[in-house]
Amino acid sequence: MLKLHSYFRSSAAFRVRIALQLKGLPHEIIPVHLLHGGGQQRQPGFLDLNPAGLVPVLEAGGEALTQSLAIIEYLDETHPLPPLLPADPLDRARVRALALEICCDIHPLNNLRVLRFLAHELKVGEAGRDAWYRHWAETGLEAIEARLARRAQAGDFCHGDRPTLADCCLVPQVFNARRMNCRTEHLPTVLAIHDRCMALPEFVRAAPAQQPDAG
Amino acid sequence: MLKLHSYFRSSAAFRVRIALQLKGLPHEIIPVHLLHGGGQQRQPGFLDLNPAGLVPVLEAGGEALTQSLAIIEYLDETHPLPPLLPADPLDRARVRALALEICCDIHPLNNLRVLRFLAHELKVGEAGRDAWYRHWAETGLEAIEARLARRAQAGDFCHGDRPTLADCCLVPQVFNARRMNCRTEHLPTVLAIHDRCMALPEFVRAAPAQQPDAG
C-alpha cells in the first residue's frame, strides 16, 4: 500500500492528499509532526527517507518519493484516471505553470523553516515576519487571480470542468492564506474555484481538519 | 520561431536556455533587463505576457508559457528527442524531485525580488541578506549532494549518462552559488556533475556570459 508521510497543516502534503483522494488510491497516512520533539522531520529515520527533511514523502514502488509535484505527476502517470493534467501540451503547460507559480513563487517563501529563520536568525520581529508572509501570499495569489480571470469562462476549476494538478495546489494555498489572515476577498476567481473544490468530498477528506494528526 | 524572454543572469531563464540547446531548437532570445528602467519585467507589455512579472516566458504555439519547469516539460513533450526525462515513472519522479528541490527549495528564496524585500522592507542589512542567501543555497545544495551521492555510481549526470531536467536546474544553481561566494567545495558530486555538463557545448551556449544581454 502507498504510504504518505504527512503533516496535517503542510500545504505540500495537503496537495498530495488531494491527488490521492481524486485518484481514489488506498493509502496509509504516517504523521510527521514538524513541531514536536524538535521536529520529527529532522530525526535520522526520516532523514534517511528524505535528506532534505521535508514532508511529504510518498513510499511507492520501493522508493521514497519527494516533492509534492513530482509525487502527483508520478501518481498521474501510474494511475491515469481521472487525469490530473489535460491532454494537449499547451494546456498541460498552463496547468503546470499555475501549480508551479504556487509551489515555487508563494509557498517556499512562507513555510515554517523560512519563517523561523527570519525570526531567529535575522530577528525581524513578529510584525516583520507577518508583513513578509502577507506580502508573498497576496502578491502571489494576485498574479494567480490575474491569470485565472483571463480564462475564468473556460471552466469551473483552474483549467476546465474538473480538478487538475493546479487545483491540488490552489486549495491548500488559499487555506494557508486564510489561516494567516491574508487578504483574499479581492480574488473572486480564486475563491470561486476554491469553494467549488471544497464542495467535493475528495478535497474535504484531504483537508487538515480531517487528518489523524490534526489537533 | 520560439521566442524566449530571458535575462542573462536569471537562473530560471538559464534552465530553459539549456533545454532549448539540448533539444537543438532554433529560437530567438528577447532580453528583459530586470534592473534597467525600474525593471523591464514590470512594464505593461511584459505584464501582458506574464502577470507575475517574472522571466522566463516562452512564446510558443500562440501562447506565452511561464515557469521554467512547465516550459521544459512542454519542450520535452513536443520535441521528445533527446529526452529530458527518463522513461520509467519512478525514475521520472526522481529527476523531477531533484529539479523541484532546486526550483522550489533554493531558488525562490534567493531571487532578486526576495533579496530586495529583505533589504528594503525588512531592513535586514547587507550582512543579514548575505547570511540568508548563503544559508538557503548551502542547505539546499547539501541536501542535493546527499541525494546525488547515494546514486553517484548510476551515471555521469544527475540521473544516468545524459543530461536531464535535473541537470538543467543544477548547473544554474551552482553558477548562482559561486557568484554569491557560497561554499561549494564540500559538494563533490554536485561539482563533478556541474563540470561534466559545462564540458558540453549546449550548456556553454546557454550560459550567462554567452547571452546577447550579458554585460
Side-chain angles (χ1 to χ4, degrees):
Chain A
M1 173 146 35
L2 298 168
K3 289 185 187 176
L4 181 68
H5 299 259
S6 166
Y7 176 59
F8 73 113
R9 272 197 183 136
S10 157
S11 72
F14 189 0
R15 294 171 201 147
V16 176
R17 296 195 304 257
I18 296 168
L20 287 165
Q21 292 290 343
L22 289 170
K23 296 286 187 185
L25 294 171
H27 60 280
E28 179 186 351
I29 296 274
I30 302 175
V32 180
H33 204 294
L34 303 190
L35 304 172
H36 288 174
Q40 296 176 347
Q41 77 282 14
R42 284 196 285 259
Q43 291 170 7
F46 188 79
L47 290 174
D48 282 346
L49 281 177
N50 183 6
L54 296 169
V55 293
V57 172
L58 183 75
E59 291 189 66
E63 301 281 348
L65 308 185
T66 63
Q67 292 290 336
S68 59
L69 296 185
I71 294 171
I72 297 173
E73 295 257 7
Y74 169 81
L75 293 174
D76 205 42
E77 289 178 352
T78 52
H79 301 87
L81 296 178
L84 295 180
L85 285 169
D88 176 74
L90 283 170
D91 290 339
R92 294 163 74 83
R94 178 172 184 265
V95 169
R96 285 188 176 120
L98 284 164
L100 287 160
E101 199 161 309
I102 293 166
C103 301
C104 292
D105 295 341
I106 305 177
H107 177 248
L109 295 164
N110 287 353
N111 75 5
L112 184 62
R113 60 182 193 148
V114 169
L115 300 178
R116 280 180 169 162
F117 192 88
L118 286 172
H120 301 156
E121 308 299 326
L122 298 186
K123 317 280 188 199
V124 301
E126 200 173 326
R129 191 195 59 188
D130 290 353
W132 163 276
Y133 193 106
R134 279 196 292 271
H135 175 76
W136 299 116
E138 292 176 5
T139 302
L141 285 172
E142 285 161 12
I144 297 277
E145 173 72 23
R147 207 179 286 292
L148 290 173
R150 288 183 180 183
R151 294 238 212 155
Q153 71 288 3
D156 282 347
F157 295 93
C158 285
H159 192 93
D161 286 324
R162 60 183 168 197
T164 63
L165 175 66
D167 302 283
C168 294
C169 299
L170 185 69
V171 165
Q173 193 58 52
V174 171
F175 175 88
N176 275 2
R178 285 176 164 174
R179 191 164 74 86
M180 298 298 282
N181 299 315
C182 300
R183 242 164 43 93
T184 56
E185 66 278 6
H186 60 312
L187 309 170
T189 318
V190 164
L191 293 184
I193 291 170
H194 169 274
D195 291 349
R196 280 183 212 113
C197 288
M198 287 307 296
L200 299 175
E202 292 85 355
F203 283 77
V204 173
R205 283 196 292 266
Q210 303 301 314
Q211 299 311 300
D213 54 334
Chain B
M1 175 149 29
L2 297 167
K3 289 185 186 176
L4 181 67
H5 299 259
S6 167
Y7 176 59
F8 73 112
R9 272 199 183 135
S10 157
S11 71
F14 189 179
R15 294 170 201 148
V16 176
R17 295 195 305 256
I18 296 168
L20 287 165
Q21 292 290 342
L22 289 170
K23 295 285 185 185
L25 294 171
H27 60 280
E28 180 186 351
I29 297 274
I30 302 175
V32 179
H33 205 294
L34 304 190
L35 303 172
H36 288 176
Q40 295 176 347
Q41 76 282 13
R42 286 197 285 259
Q43 292 170 6
F46 187 80
L47 290 174
D48 282 347
L49 280 177
N50 183 5
L54 296 169
V55 292
V57 172
L58 183 74
E59 291 189 66
E63 302 280 348
L65 308 184
T66 63
Q67 292 290 336
S68 60
L69 295 184
I71 293 171
I72 297 173
E73 294 258 7
Y74 170 82
L75 294 174
D76 205 41
E77 290 178 351
T78 52
H79 301 87
L81 296 178
L84 295 179
L85 285 169
D88 175 76
L90 283 171
D91 291 338
R92 294 163 74 82
R94 178 171 183 266
V95 170
R96 285 189 175 118
L98 284 164
L100 287 160
E101 199 161 309
I102 293 166
C103 301
C104 292
D105 295 341
I106 305 177
H107 178 248
L109 294 164
N110 287 352
N111 75 5
L112 184 62
R113 61 182 193 149
V114 168
L115 300 178
R116 279 181 169 162
F117 193 88
L118 285 172
H120 300 155
E121 308 297 327
L122 298 185
K123 317 279 189 202
V124 302
E126 202 172 326
R129 191 195 59 189
D130 290 353
W132 163 276
Y133 193 106
R134 279 196 293 271
H135 175 76
W136 298 115
E138 292 177 6
T139 303
L141 284 172
E142 285 160 13
I144 297 278
E145 173 71 22
R147 206 179 288 292
L148 290 173
R150 288 182 180 182
R151 293 235 212 158
Q153 71 289 3
D156 282 346
F157 295 93
C158 286
H159 191 94
D161 286 324
R162 60 182 167 197
T164 62
L165 175 67
D167 303 282
C168 294
C169 299
L170 184 69
V171 166
Q173 192 59 52
V174 171
F175 175 88
N176 273 4
R178 286 176 165 175
R179 192 164 72 86
M180 298 298 282
N181 299 315
C182 299
R183 239 164 44 92
T184 56
E185 66 277 7
H186 60 312
L187 309 170
T189 318
V190 164
L191 293 184
I193 291 170
H194 169 273
D195 291 349
R196 280 184 213 112
C197 288
M198 287 307 295
L200 299 175
E202 293 84 355
F203 282 79
V204 173
R205 283 197 292 267
Q210 303 301 315
Q211 300 310 300
D213 54 334

